Amino acid sequence: MMREKFQEQLEEMHRQMVVMGSLCQRAIAMAVKTLMEEGDAAEHLEDQVHILDGEIDDMEREIESLCTKLLLKQQPVASDLRRITAALKMVTDLERIGDQAADIVELTRFIQKDDRNELLRKMATDVIYMVSQSVEAFVHLDLDQAREVIAYDDVVDRWFDQIKVEIITCISQDRSEGEALLDVFLVAKYLERIGDHATNLAEWVEYALTGARSKDGLWVDPVGADKDN
């Protein structure tokens, strides 16, 4: 009976993780969509991102509370303990993703609406994919899927490098655009950081399943090893 109750609470934790991950994906998508909107439409999207950020903060507290109950009131075996520990680490990364989506909308109001933003949109699509796949890997305990997310971070890094090169080229041709393009660079940097957080998520899935995390091709002790982003 005790084990059945534990499994029910564990499944509830998984459901809440999926909801939190979905909120993060929506926040990123809406934040980047503001690059294509102006006036009231853009303001509405900004408001929605900030609302989502607040909901993500609430979800972090709810999941942390549930994980604490699982640790204190149940008797998790080693594998379950790793899953709960991983969830506690993952919600911190998800909360930071929400914060960074909110940071993006603070910048997009100053960015000119033109074709140059297409690269940011493509980069955001890949970042959202990483977040989605990492949460799904946790729920389904899929190690291969988690490692695919870790490898996929290279795709996001290439987008960042491409955007950076284009910005440098534009500024070299017209220095007056420097200040405006700095905001584009910062949005790209926030997206790159979100990609890093998604990688963290996938690495915690590795830990839940194996007891270790791979970083830069090495197996490392997971204690204190998450990224500083």
Side-chain angles (χ1 to χ4, degrees), residues 111-180:
I111 295 176
Q112 184 177 340
K113 319 297 182 182
D114 58 34
D115 293 340
R116 286 179 297 192
N117 298 331
E118 184 63 24
L119 291 181
L120 291 174
R121 288 182 58 218
K122 291 179 178 178
M123 185 178 182
T125 297
D126 284 330
V127 165
I128 291 169
Y129 172 79
M130 288 181 68
V131 175
S132 170
Q133 293 297 298
S134 57
V135 174
E136 187 174 304
F138 178 73
V139 172
H140 296 294
L141 301 177
D142 191 327
L143 184 58
D144 289 338
Q145 188 173 18
R147 289 176 175 168
E148 286 173 5
V149 173
I150 294 168
Y152 204 83
D153 190 43
D154 290 342
V155 175
V156 172
D157 288 344
R158 284 195 294 271
W159 280 124
F160 179 66
D161 290 340
Q162 183 176 346
I163 292 168
K164 184 166 58 177
V165 168
E166 292 209 1
I167 288 172
I168 292 170
T169 301
C170 288
I171 293 175
S172 67
Q173 295 171 349
D174 185 355
R175 297 186 64 180
S176 66
E177 288 204 83
E179 185 174 349

Side-chain angles (χ1 to χ4, degrees), residues 1-10 66-77 84:
M1 190 66 180
M2 182 75 74
R3 187 64 187 175
E4 288 180 7
K5 181 65 175 177
F6 178 82
Q7 286 299 328
E8 289 175 5
Q9 291 180 319
L10 204 60
L66 180 55
C67 288
T68 301
K69 290 176 183 177
L70 284 166
L71 290 170
L72 296 179
K73 295 184 178 181
Q74 305 293 342
Q75 295 178 331
V77 298
I84 297 167

